[in-house]
Amino acid sequence: MTNPLLAEWDTPFGLPPFDRISDDDFGSAFETARIEHLAEVAAIAENPEPATFENTIVALEGAGRALDRVLTVFFSLAGADSNPARQALQRDFAPKLAAHGAAITGNRDLFERIEALWQDRGALDLAAEEARLLELTHRSFVRAGAALTGAQADRMTEIKSRLSVLGTQFTQNLLADESGWQMELSEGDLEGLPETVRASARAAGAERGADGPVITLSRSLIVPFLQFSTRRDLRETAWRAWTSRGAMGGETDNRAIAAEVLKLREERAKLLGYDTFAAYKLEPEMAKSPEAVRELLTSVWQPARARALEDQEKLQALMADDGVNGTLAPWDWRHYAERRRRAEFDIDDTALKPYLQLERMIEAAMDCANRLFGLEFREVDVPLYHADVRAWEVTRDGAHVAVFVGDYFARASKRSGAWCSALRSQSKRPEARTAVPVNVCNFAKPAAGEPALLSYDDARTLFHEFGHALHHMLSDVEFGSISGTSVARDFVELPSQLFEHWLDEPEVLRRFATHVETGEPMPQDMLDRMKGAALANQGFETVEYLASALVDLEFHAGPAPADPMDRQAEVLEELGMPEAIVMRHATPHFAHVFAGDGYSSGYYSYMWSEVMDADAFAAFEEKGDAFDGDTARALEERILSRGGSAEPDTLYVDFRGRMPGVEALLRGRGLAA
């Protein structure tokens, strides 16, 4: 029988045949596709004809299609619907993939062809996108160590293999801690919780086979528990478990892994001639240097910390009014911040959530995409990897554009957080393909037959990830390597964070924030109070984010610390971290940084992009219309459709005419003086 991962996919829209794929198919498909890819690369490297852009760079772009399909399906499942078999495969694949990549970048004949083209680039008469692909290909090979020889090349291969193993272990340890912990509650322990949170706890208990409601380490459940529970003892228990992920001791403890990762990254950077890993990692980004990142983060830190300390005094007073002795603790902050928010803005999530139905928020995001870019969405019935997952065909003027996949609910088999990936990226050469972006979230799943209701933060997350999906859908470039979100790390969050602004538009909320029972739109005064309340805790939210970003930077901007936990404590002390606030992502569960290289030295990029998104949305505000057609066309043509076909600052200046300053960010967060 033909392995379905390797056969032609005669499926609707060429989607993976999830209904025919079993875990047993991945191992053999991986080996077959890996060998095929190496043979394709060898044929390119050993081509007796002189190197040309077509027979080397375009040929490389087309090589490995089978392997790409196998791995895309596998890693989509490994992140969103893991099981022991997939975890074992992931551990097996990690070193093999590292060795596979090293075999390609270490192919001297291949690199010599790429180097020859690079040295002769001025005479090649390449189109702009072709020149960009040549530049990025050459750069990626050099940064991967292709110019190294002998013992240095061998050591680089060893380092990359070990890092891939460690990243997989970090991820699986974190998933084990998150899925393995739960706090079982009696009905009496639900004191203070809104009915929506109680229902989510009961649904989580039912999913896990418990006799009653449970609190899990899913953010969509534990955060509202910390906000609303009047049981300080239970809040402390839940908070300690949540912040101890990856540091609970035993086989799933990530602290030693983090230390080894940092040491290996430093060695990798030095092999390539850089003083620090941060210098190596940031060179191709917009920021370019650790100094530029530090300047941005510290310019926001002081006003954010000052605001947080002001808020801390007010929350401490509220706690004293409750007759609670002692100082405000981290497990108290969200509870009293919510009480203060309700008192000052007369806003209550119990009253707010019925207006933020998941279905209506999905409709809202798609309607905004229609009004801005002319996209239309039609839900389709196709085989997918879990019963909760849904798909929509995306068209424009009747023509197929993409397929969008949405996976919204939390489950024990899904890693925490929210992300956007792609089952297929857009390209025109050497094969014409449309995009298949996937949004994965962890919203609390309601009981059977009940509607899913979101918090305001959940709704923002939905819009954020949909912004990433739009970057894929609207991509219109020649080559898959530079399509969609294949951009600098500190530019990739611009489209996602920019799209969040449309959730706040009054006309969007009036139309789609409708009551689950009455269908009535959210009252204007509630809408105004909700938007005001969104800024009420910005000191806390900015401080917890910045602390994580600065620790990440300092981990990589100097010698690798022998004990990352000690270095983390030193950085926080130097910053004057408020005692009642902790890092959003402490080192043992900082998956952005340690589950792979993606955001290492790069967690700052959310704020870097926020500087741009505040300024980019101002382009619409200056026209007096959040849906101004000319501005939307410019956004698509100059940023969203261009992928990584040019340097990000070039794309942004082409759209806005200049680079922005930090002032719009401070105003947007309510931190401006």
Side-chain angles (χ1 to χ4, degrees), residues 216-231:
T216 71
L217 296 182
S218 169
R219 189 178 186 91
S220 62
L221 185 53
I222 198 167
V223 168
F225 180 79
L226 292 171
Q227 286 177 311
F228 295 108
S229 175
T230 56
R231 289 283 302 276

Side-chain angles (χ1 to χ4, degrees), residues 432-464:
R433 302 187 305 175
T434 55
V436 185
V438 183
N439 277 179
V440 184
C441 300
N442 269 284
F443 304 142
K445 187 174 182 179
E450 295 296 319
L453 304 179
L454 306 182
S455 69
Y456 188 56
D457 283 346
D458 287 340
R460 292 187 73 85
T461 296
L462 187 149
F463 267 67
H464 178 101

Side-chain angles (χ1 to χ4, degrees), residues 68-139:
D68 179 63
R69 293 201 312 172
V70 172
L71 293 178
T72 296
V73 173
F74 175 74
F75 283 111
S76 293
L77 293 173
D81 195 24
S82 187
N83 61 31
R86 291 166 190 169
Q87 291 179 350
L89 284 166
Q90 199 172 3
R91 291 190 295 270
D92 181 54
F93 288 175
K96 293 178 180 178
L97 280 172
H100 182 77
I104 294 172
T105 56
N107 186 315
R108 297 300 302 174
D109 292 337
L110 177 62
F111 182 61
E112 286 175 6
R113 294 176 72 86
I114 296 170
E115 179 68 21
L117 290 170
W118 177 247
Q119 294 301 329
D120 198 34
R121 61 190 181 279
L124 296 180
D125 192 28
L126 299 177
E129 284 191 29
E130 294 173 333
R132 177 66 170 170
L133 181 61
L134 173 58
E135 175 191 9
L136 294 177
T137 302
H138 179 263
R139 186 169 77 186

Side-chain angles (χ1 to χ4, degrees), residues 469-539:
L470 285 172
H471 206 176
H472 282 288
M473 295 178 211
L474 294 171
S475 180
D476 186 21
V477 297
E478 292 291 309
F479 305 105
S481 292
I482 56 175
S483 72
T485 60
S486 298
V487 299
R489 182 63 62 179
D490 50 9
F491 192 64
V492 75
E493 299 298 337
L494 170 60
S496 55
Q497 293 178 187
L498 175 58
F499 197 66
E500 291 179 35
H501 288 270
W502 276 275
L503 173 62
D504 292 333
E505 279 301 295
E507 60 182 296
V508 173
L509 288 169
R510 278 194 297 268
R511 181 176 174 189
F512 293 99
T514 56
H515 196 278
V516 65
E517 294 178 357
T518 68
E520 291 296 315
M522 182 183 293
Q524 183 63 46
D525 69 315
M526 180 181 284
L527 190 158
D528 294 338
R529 286 182 279 116
M530 179 183 73
K531 293 176 70 174
L535 298 178
N537 204 29
Q538 276 298 315

Side-chain angles (χ1 to χ4, degrees), residues 44 47 50-62 113 117 124 126 130 429-430 478-479:
I44 297 168
N47 188 340
T52 66
F53 181 79
E54 288 292 332
N55 72 18
T56 302
I57 305 301
V58 176
L60 268 179
E61 187 76 2
R113 294 176 72 86
L117 290 170
L124 296 180
L126 299 177
E130 294 173 333
R429 295 166 58 189
E478 292 291 309
F479 305 105

Side-chain angles (χ1 to χ4, degrees), residues 258-491:
E260 187 177 354
V261 165
L262 293 173
K263 183 178 180 181
L264 290 172
R265 285 177 179 165
E266 180 186 21
E267 185 181 356
R268 177 182 178 184
K270 288 185 179 299
L271 281 172
L272 294 171
Y274 296 87
D275 291 335
T276 67
F277 181 80
Y280 157 76
K281 186 66 184 298
L282 294 171
E283 184 182 57
E285 307 297 332
M286 291 184 75
K288 303 300 183 189
S289 71
E291 292 75 24
V293 173
R294 192 177 291 110
E295 180 181 356
L296 168 68
L297 298 178
T298 54
S299 69
V300 182
W301 172 261
Q302 289 304 331
R305 179 179 180 274
R307 176 63 56 79
L309 291 175
E310 291 174 9
D311 292 343
Q312 182 173 310
E313 291 183 7
K314 296 176 181 178
L315 302 185
Q316 181 74 58
L318 285 176
M319 194 171 81
D321 290 343
D322 275 357
V324 180
N325 296 322
T327 57
L328 187 78
W331 50 88
D332 297 318
W333 189 294
R334 284 181 171 84
H335 179 71
Y336 286 102
E338 176 63 21
R339 296 242 316 249
R340 178 187 169 207
R341 186 176 74 103
R342 288 158 63 183
E344 292 188 1
F345 293 94
D346 190 23
I347 198 78
D348 182 349
D349 271 9
T350 305
L352 184 62
K353 269 194 167 185
Y355 289 97
L356 298 175
Q357 303 170 62
L358 172 61
E359 289 302 312
R360 297 293 281 153
M361 291 300 101
I362 294 172
E363 291 177 29
M366 292 178 175
D367 183 74
C368 289
N370 174 260
R371 295 180 64 185
L372 289 164
F373 310 115
L375 300 179
E376 297 180 330
F377 297 81
R378 177 181 65 89
E379 191 159 8
V380 292
D381 183 12
V382 294
L384 295 164
Y385 58 85
H386 191 277
D388 288 342
V389 185
R390 303 159 64 182
W392 290 261
E393 182 188 12
V394 187
T395 60
R396 181 155 58 183
D397 298 327
H400 177 80
V401 172
V403 172
F404 170 66
V405 178
D407 180 359
Y408 294 107
F409 294 125
R411 52 181 172 266
S413 61
K414 183 190 290 187
R415 66 178 170 89
S416 62
W419 65 92
C420 178
S421 59
L423 292 171
R424 188 172 66 225
S425 297
Q426 177 270 331
S427 67
K428 298 177 183 176
R429 295 166 58 189
E431 175 187 0
R433 302 187 305 175
T434 55
V436 185
V438 183
N439 277 179
V440 184
C441 300
N442 269 284
F443 304 142
K445 187 174 182 179
E450 295 296 319
L453 304 179
L454 306 182
S455 69
Y456 188 56
D457 283 346
D458 287 340
R460 292 187 73 85
T461 296
L462 187 149
F463 267 67
H464 178 101
E465 300 306 335
F466 196 80
H468 281 309
L470 285 172
H471 206 176
H472 282 288
M473 295 178 211
L474 294 171
S475 180
D476 186 21
V477 297
E478 292 291 309
F479 305 105
S481 292
I482 56 175
S483 72
T485 60
S486 298
V487 299
R489 182 63 62 179
D490 50 9
F491 192 64

